[in-house]
Amino acid sequence: MPKQTLLVRESLFTIHSLDPDSDIPATVLQSPLFFLGKTEEELSIVVPNTVEVSSLDCDEGWRALELLGPLHLSLIGIMAQIGQVLAAAKVSIFVVSTFDTDFFLVKDNKLNDAVTALKKAGYTVHEEG
């Protein structure tokens, strides 16, 4: 299978942690791009850093590498392969997925390392904008 293409999203993102019983802020739902995850212990929200969220904790300064799809749910190992490339480059990741694709979030100060490693491994990486 040929290597996939990724798109570096221009926006900076923030990962928020909220109480699991928190309501999802309207500002999040109005954002053109957001991710939600909920367990019994927490509600996690990933949004562009321009979206205001009052949270228990947050981690700012993430960039998103969008795996251009759509990808079929039957595909095997794509996330693992990209994760291995980024781990070898000492780039930590926070991954979120949709039905059609995956987003690899990396810290902004490690973006160049991530892009360089991915290109060296044969991936195509485009910049948004």
Side-chain angles (χ1 to χ4, degrees):
M1 176 188 342
K3 301 282 182 155
Q4 290 76 35
T5 299
L6 296 104
L7 175 67
V8 178
R9 289 290 191 131
E10 194 173 329
S11 300
L12 283 170
F13 289 84
T14 301
I15 303 167
H16 295 274
S17 178
L18 290 83
D19 183 273
D21 296 323
S22 298
D23 290 329
I24 298 166
T27 56
V28 171
L29 297 175
Q30 294 166 359
S31 176
L33 181 64
F34 64 89
F35 299 94
L36 304 172
K38 184 176 178 181
T39 67
E40 293 83 9
E41 290 83 31
E42 74 165 321
L43 170 63
S44 292
I45 299 175
V46 178
V47 287
N49 69 341
T50 56
V51 177
E52 297 277 335
V53 175
S54 178
S55 54
L56 299 173
D57 198 5
C58 69
D59 195 343
E60 301 174 330
W62 293 85
R63 295 288 298 276
L65 294 158
E66 178 182 355
L67 189 55
L68 296 181
L71 303 174
H72 296 281
L73 294 175
S74 62
L75 293 175
I76 298 170
I78 292 173
M79 193 181 304
Q81 291 168 358
I82 292 173
Q84 287 176 339
V85 169
L86 296 175
K90 305 220 181 303
V91 176
S92 62
I93 59 174
F94 186 93
V95 180
V96 289
S97 298
T98 69
F99 189 86
D100 287 336
T101 194
D102 301 312
F103 289 75
F104 294 81
L105 279 75
V106 302
K107 286 300 239 177
D108 187 47
N109 65 351
K110 296 295 261 177
L111 179 63
N112 288 337
D113 294 343
V115 170
T116 299
L118 288 165
K119 286 181 176 179
K120 186 176 178 183
Y123 293 90
T124 302
V125 182
H126 298 292
E127 300 280 333
E128 185 175 59

